[in-house]
């Protein structure tokens, strides 16, 4: 049992897990993930049974990938627990322990003097330990590895929470309308634009959020600049284009503007009226004069055309309209305007604490790595005969002193 | 502006040729000339990046051409700093061609300046991509040192020789530097992705390969620091890791479409 325990917390097991996670990641990047199963049957005709069996179409949610990640967390937890003891205890004992190290290099008395001068000149603190002098600096560096591993553990845990806990709702919302969620939170779009003041592409919506408890916030969201209130965060996710029609009642003169993202039947009596089927960005005329709508590669609407179906006295006829066209059907006048854009919002609900904890883990990881690699502890025991280098990462100091004192070494 | 870029490429190429000739014929004058030409190339390359940044009114890091330029510049700058600090020329023969290789890749990319797309207009742009430049450059230089180490051992140098130990240690320090910055790349990318795409992590191929690169160098660091592995084996490890860095940098964008495909 102890052997199993020791293996679970060992670096060897940690590296094995990292390598296996890396291999899964390679497979997950080479095989497109999360598509319809029929896509894999079509594109991997002979391999798809194995692909389905091993869940290679969704590697990062497969049981074995989650198991590997769980085991990595276990490994990091156990190794952090072991380290915390040695980090706390070891701190007090570093210098006395270093004083007991046998000399690894014997020096002449001139060499010893030069060494001690060098250590003091490079900022080391001198500490007398019996007949030996222990020089040390940057001992904070011994915490680096522990902090880094702890931060990786926390990042995996809070990262998993950050990926799995949020409830995401994607909604299109026309300017002037609002999205209401089941809990009562309301997101009203006042306006939308697709360029900034200088004419550069920039999608932005003027928005007001009202939470069920009455708190509210107004402002602009754009790509990279979501807006938060309480547990909600609203993103400028996509945009769409809606037909715009001004409908006037010919009898009383009353009129209304309609934005139509979907097909709609505009009528007074549900019998005579106009079906606005779609609005297309562009069109071309066939030699016999037929209008054929087309799409556009860049999302612009250079020559918009409306596709309509007139319904009049039971007779259905297809026709087209352009911005500026005015039609009259069933007592209504329809004036077609240039299409308008509207935003697609992504509304994310996450407990705010998750992001805070995740960001704290990120900061801890960077700090841990910096301390590990750039604040490496220096611990050198010097006596009248020579010196020994101690501490968790003695290599750099050994090489530095070897180069410095090459001419002062004494043979046995 | 293009003339600055092609002048830099030509000078780097000349420096590499002089370096090879100097090494092959053991002519110090050629090696010195190579170094001077290399410094001239680096200076012109720096001017090119500054001018491009001024013209584009942003950091020149937004597409494969610009990133490859910055990457090659990072490799060249690190080589210049190391050579000056070490007061030794042993690294140039392997590191100079690396800078040239990346720059040749840049020359094959479209060079036009475009406005940043909305998703790239973020305060994280410079941190995320600038850190990637530093990380990748450090890994490539570490791989170059490792290659030089392997060549020296193959020629019969003693692995216990202080010089080889210093080379081995220097490559480790560069990996540590690169690893810190690769971590910054991944974490700043996660924060940025949450702002732009609403999720910290989407398993996009570029993210996945950054993670794979991170895992590879994490394994290296563990082997070196905890298992005390040194020398030839670890040098080979670093050499083999360099193609992974290049794949993460260029291969993913070319072969594996995803959210980073515009890069």
């Amino acid at each position: 049992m102890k052997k199993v325990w020791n293996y679970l917390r060992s670096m060897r097991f940690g590296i094995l897990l990292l390598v296996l996670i890396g291999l899964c990641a390679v497979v997950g990047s080479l095989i497109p993930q999360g598509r319809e199963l029929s896509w894999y049957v079509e594109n991997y005709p002979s391999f798809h049974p194995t692909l389905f069996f091993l869940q290679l179409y969704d590697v990062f949610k497969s049981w074995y990938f989650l198991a590997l990640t769980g085991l990595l967390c276990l490994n990091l937890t156990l190794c952090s627990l072991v380290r915390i003891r040695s980090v706390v205890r070891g701190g007090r004992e570093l210098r006395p322990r270093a004083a007991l190290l046998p000399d690894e290099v014997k020096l002449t008395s001139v060499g010893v003097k030069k060494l001690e001068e060098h250590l003091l000149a490079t900022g080391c603190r001198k500490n007398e330990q019996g007949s030996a002098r222990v020089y040390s600096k940057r001992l904070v560096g011994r915490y680096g590895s522990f902090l880094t591993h702890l931060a990786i553990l926390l990042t995996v845990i809070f990262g998993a929470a950050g990926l799995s806990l949020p409830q995401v709702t994607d909604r299109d919302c026309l300017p002037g309308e609002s999205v209401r969620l089941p809990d009562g939170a309301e997101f009203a779009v006042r306006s939308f634009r697709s360029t900034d003041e200088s004419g550069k592409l920039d999608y932005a919506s003027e928005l007001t959020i009202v939470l069920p408890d009455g708190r509210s916030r107004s402002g602009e969201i754009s790509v990279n600049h979501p807006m938060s209130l309480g547990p909600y965060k609203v993103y400028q996710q996509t945009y769409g284009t809606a037909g715009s029609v001004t409908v006037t009642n010919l009898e009383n003169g009353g009129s209304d503007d309609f934005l139509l993202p979907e097909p709609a039947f505009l009528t007074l009596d549900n019998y005579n009226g106009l079906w606005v089927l779609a609005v297309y960005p562009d069109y071309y005329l066939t030699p016999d004069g037929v209008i054929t709508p087309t799409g556009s590669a860049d999302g612009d609407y250079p020559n918009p055309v409306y596709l309509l179906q007139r319904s009049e006295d039971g007779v259905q006829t297809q026709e087209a309209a352009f911005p500026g066209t005015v039609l009259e059907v069933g007592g209504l006048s329809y004036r077609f305007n240039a299409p308008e854009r509207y935003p697609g919002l992504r509304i994310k609900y996450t407990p705010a604490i998750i992001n805070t904890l995740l960001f704290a883990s990120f900061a801890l990881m960077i700090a841990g790595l910096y301390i590990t690699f750039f604040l490496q502890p220096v611990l050198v025991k010097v006596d009248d005969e020579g010196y020994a280098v101690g501490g968790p990462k003695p290599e750099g100091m050994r090489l530095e002193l070897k180069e410095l004192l090459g001419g002062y070494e004494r043979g046995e | 502006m293009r003339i600055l870029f092609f002048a830099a490429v030509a000078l780097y190429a000349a420096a590499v040729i002089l370096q090879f000739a100097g090494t092959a014929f053991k002519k110090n004058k050629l090696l010195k000339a190579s170094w001077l030409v290399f410094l001239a190339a680096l200076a012109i390359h720096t001017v090119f990046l500054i001018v491009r940044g001024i013209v584009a009114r942003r950091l020149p890091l937004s597409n494969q051409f610009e990133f490859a330029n910055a990457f090659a510049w990072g490799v060249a700058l690190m080589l210049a700093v190391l050579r000056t600090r070490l007061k030794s020329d042993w690294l140039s023969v392997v590191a100079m061609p690396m800078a040239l290789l990346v720059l040749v890749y840049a020359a094959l990319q479209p060079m036009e300046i475009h406005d940043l797309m909305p998703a790239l207009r973020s305060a994280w742009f410079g941190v995320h991509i600038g850190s990637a430049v530093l990380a990748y450059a450090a890994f490539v230089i570490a791989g170059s040192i490792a290659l030089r180490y392997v060549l020296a051992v193959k020629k019969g140098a003693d692995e216990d020789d202080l010089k080889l130990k210093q080379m081995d240690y220097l490559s480790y320090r560069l990996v540590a530097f690169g690893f810190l910055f690769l971590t910054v790349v991944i974490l700043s990318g996660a924060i940025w992705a949450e702002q732009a795409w609403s999720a910290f992590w989407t398993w996009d191929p570029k993210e996945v390969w950054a993670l794979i690169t991170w895992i590879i160098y994490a394994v290296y660091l563990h082997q070196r620091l905890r298992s005390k592995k040194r020398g030839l084996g670890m040098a080979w490890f670093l050499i083999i890791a360099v193609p992974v860095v290049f794949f993460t940098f260029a291969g993913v964008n070319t072969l594996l479409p995803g959210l980073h495909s515009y890069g």
Side-chain angles (χ1 to χ4, degrees):
Chain A
M1 190 65 197
K2 198 177 175 189
K3 266 189 175 177
V4 175
W5 187 252
N6 284 341
Y7 185 69
L8 284 176
R9 71 178 198 205
S10 68
M11 187 196 74
R12 182 178 291 193
F13 184 53
I15 286 183
L16 175 70
L17 291 170
L18 278 178
V19 169
L20 291 174
I21 287 172
L23 288 174
C24 290
V26 171
V27 174
S29 73
L30 297 179
I31 298 173
Q33 299 289 291
R35 304 222 176 155
E36 293 282 326
L37 294 185
S38 57
W39 186 90
Y40 298 98
V41 175
E42 206 173 292
N43 288 277
Y44 300 94
S46 54
F47 178 58
H48 74 265
T50 315
L51 192 144
F52 290 157
F53 179 71
L54 294 175
Q55 217 182 318
L56 299 180
Y57 56 87
D58 209 358
V59 170
F60 303 111
K61 287 180 187 157
S62 65
W63 64 268
Y64 52 86
F65 187 80
L66 296 177
L68 288 172
T69 311
L71 285 171
L72 183 68
C73 285
L74 178 68
N75 175 263
L76 286 166
T77 307
L78 295 177
C79 97
S80 295
L81 287 174
V82 172
R83 274 160 199 264
I84 201 167
R85 261 187 296 168
S86 64
V87 163
V88 173
R89 278 190 200 163
R92 275 172 266 142
E93 296 162 8
L94 272 176
R95 288 190 196 90
R97 247 197 240 167
L100 299 176
L101 290 171
D103 286 343
E104 56 190 62
V105 177
K106 298 283 187 191
L107 293 176
T108 61
S109 55
V110 180
V112 170
K113 193 165 174 262
K114 188 176 166 71
L115 167 62
E116 292 191 276
E117 281 170 4
H118 172 75
L119 291 171
L120 287 173
T122 52
C124 287
R125 280 175 55 188
K126 185 178 170 183
N127 191 279
E128 302 277 354
Q129 297 277 340
S131 62
R133 285 87 69 194
V134 176
Y135 291 83
S136 60
K137 69 174 175 182
R138 296 196 299 249
L139 293 185
V140 68
R142 69 183 190 278
Y143 298 114
S145 182
F146 167 71
L147 289 178
T148 304
H149 286 82
L150 179 66
I152 294 171
L153 172 66
L154 296 176
T155 299
V156 173
I157 292 170
F158 297 132
L163 288 180
S164 57
L165 287 183
Q167 295 160 26
V168 174
T169 310
D170 287 333
R171 292 281 181 84
D172 292 334
C173 188
L174 297 173
E177 297 189 358
S178 63
V179 173
R180 200 179 173 87
L181 296 185
D183 70 352
E186 193 168 353
F187 307 84
V189 173
R190 295 197 302 279
S191 63
F192 174 72
R193 62 175 168 80
S194 55
T195 52
D196 64 12
E197 303 77 26
S198 62
K200 278 186 188 169
L201 207 59
D202 186 23
Y203 307 104
S205 303
E206 285 286 335
L207 190 78
T208 299
I209 309 176
V210 182
L211 296 187
D213 61 10
R215 280 182 292 162
S216 71
R217 184 177 173 192
S218 294
E220 186 183 86
I221 58 166
S222 59
V223 181
N224 271 319
H225 300 97
M227 189 161 82
S228 301
L229 183 63
Y232 283 103
K233 204 165 189 179
V234 189
Y235 296 82
Q236 177 60 59
Q237 187 74 4
T238 58
Y239 68 92
T241 305
S244 167
V245 189
T246 305
V247 182
T248 307
N249 189 322
L250 293 172
E251 207 167 286
N252 59 24
S255 75
D256 213 343
D257 293 324
F258 292 91
L259 283 176
L260 307 171
E262 290 170 358
F265 186 44
L266 303 174
T267 174
L268 271 179
D269 57 7
N270 275 327
Y271 183 63
N272 293 312
L274 206 58
W275 271 98
V276 181
L277 299 174
V279 57
Y280 287 89
D282 208 345
Y283 66 93
Y284 65 89
L285 281 174
T286 57
D288 47 353
V290 177
I291 292 169
T292 307
T294 61
S296 82
D298 57 6
D300 276 348
Y301 276 62
N303 299 299
V305 58
Y306 288 87
L307 216 61
L308 312 168
Q309 184 166 288
R310 181 190 287 259
S311 185
E312 203 163 23
D313 300 328
V315 180
Q316 315 284 331
T317 48
Q318 297 265 351
E319 55 189 283
F322 309 94
T325 303
V326 178
L327 298 173
E328 289 184 9
V329 186
L332 293 173
S333 159
Y334 305 80
R335 182 185 171 81
F336 290 87
N337 309 312
E340 285 191 28
R341 283 185 167 160
Y342 61 91
L345 305 179
R346 169 160 289 184
I347 302 164
K348 192 170 88 169
Y349 178 95
T350 327
I353 187 74
I354 293 293
N355 284 4
T356 309
L357 292 171
L358 191 57
F359 291 160
S361 310
F362 287 179
L364 190 65
M365 200 190 308
I366 298 296
L369 284 171
Y370 179 79
I371 292 171
T372 304
F373 295 125
F374 296 95
L375 295 178
Q376 295 198 345
V378 169
L379 205 63
V380 184
K381 167 242 163 182
V382 185
D383 59 27
D384 296 339
E385 301 284 304
Y387 71 89
V389 182
K393 295 188 188 74
E395 187 185 1
M397 200 60 196
R398 277 202 182 111
L399 291 172
E400 183 184 324
L401 296 184
K402 198 91 181 155
E403 191 172 25
L404 179 80
L405 303 166
Y408 301 94
E409 288 184 15
R410 261 193 305 146
E412 283 301 315
Chain B
M1 189 164 50
R2 280 180 177 221
I3 198 160
L4 284 172
F5 171 71
F6 286 111
V9 176
L11 286 172
Y12 279 125
V16 169
I17 292 166
L18 287 169
Q19 184 67 223
F20 280 142
T23 308
F25 302 116
K26 295 186 177 155
K27 297 273 185 198
N28 266 339
K29 276 188 179 172
L30 288 179
L31 292 176
K32 271 187 185 169
S34 161
W35 184 243
L36 291 176
V37 172
F38 175 78
L39 288 180
L42 180 58
I44 290 175
H45 196 184
T46 308
V47 172
F48 166 71
L49 287 172
I50 292 169
V51 171
R52 190 168 172 103
I54 291 168
V55 172
R57 294 182 177 190
R58 55 171 168 75
L59 289 172
L61 297 169
S62 82
N63 54 30
Q64 280 293 79
F65 172 73
E66 292 180 349
F67 185 78
N69 256 287
F71 181 7
W73 180 81
V75 172
L77 185 71
M78 275 191 198
L79 170 60
V81 170
L82 284 176
R83 191 190 183 279
T84 309
R85 282 193 67 171
L86 297 171
K87 297 184 181 93
S88 173
D89 198 28
W90 53 264
L91 183 55
S92 305
V93 72
V94 281
M96 272 185 198
M98 291 287 187
L100 180 63
L101 181 74
V102 180
L103 214 53
V104 168
Y105 170 77
L108 300 174
Q109 306 301 314
M111 295 183 195
E112 292 77 27
I113 294 177
H114 293 291
D115 279 341
L116 278 185
M117 56 190 291
L120 292 180
R121 280 180 229 143
S122 163
W124 293 103
F125 176 68
V127 177
H128 181 62
I129 307 173
S131 300
V133 167
L134 291 176
Y136 292 176
F139 292 146
V140 166
I141 293 282
S144 304
I145 295 172
L147 180 60
R148 194 72 182 81
Y149 183 100
V150 169
L151 292 173
V153 173
K154 294 278 173 203
K155 274 187 177 174
D158 183 0
E159 282 198 75
D160 282 334
D161 182 67
L162 181 61
K163 197 142 204 157
L164 282 192
K165 282 187 173 176
Q166 284 172 333
M167 282 166 79
D168 185 52
Y169 184 68
L170 182 61
S171 57
Y172 148 68
R173 296 292 294 162
L174 280 162
V175 168
F177 177 85
F179 190 75
L180 173 65
F181 279 95
L182 183 61
T183 308
V184 173
V185 173
I186 293 172
L187 300 185
S188 61
I191 297 170
W192 188 3
E194 202 275 337
Q195 285 185 358
W197 304 325
S198 76
F200 291 104
W201 193 261
T202 54
W203 297 108
D204 177 66
K206 195 81 169 179
E207 292 173 355
V208 170
W209 277 90
L211 178 67
I212 291 165
T213 311
W214 190 88
I215 287 174
I216 286 171
Y217 284 102
V219 170
Y220 168 85
L221 289 169
H222 278 88
Q223 290 296 322
R224 208 173 184 293
L225 292 174
R226 307 295 296 181
S227 304
K228 311 285 180 204
K229 294 202 171 144
R230 308 270 188 278
L232 205 56
M234 298 313 283
W236 275 114
F237 191 117
L238 290 184
I239 293 167
I240 292 166
V242 169
V244 178
V245 173
F246 279 122
F247 185 76
T248 304
F249 152 60
V252 173
N253 295 57
T254 315
L255 302 172
L256 304 172
L259 291 167
H260 286 79
S261 291
Y262 49 76

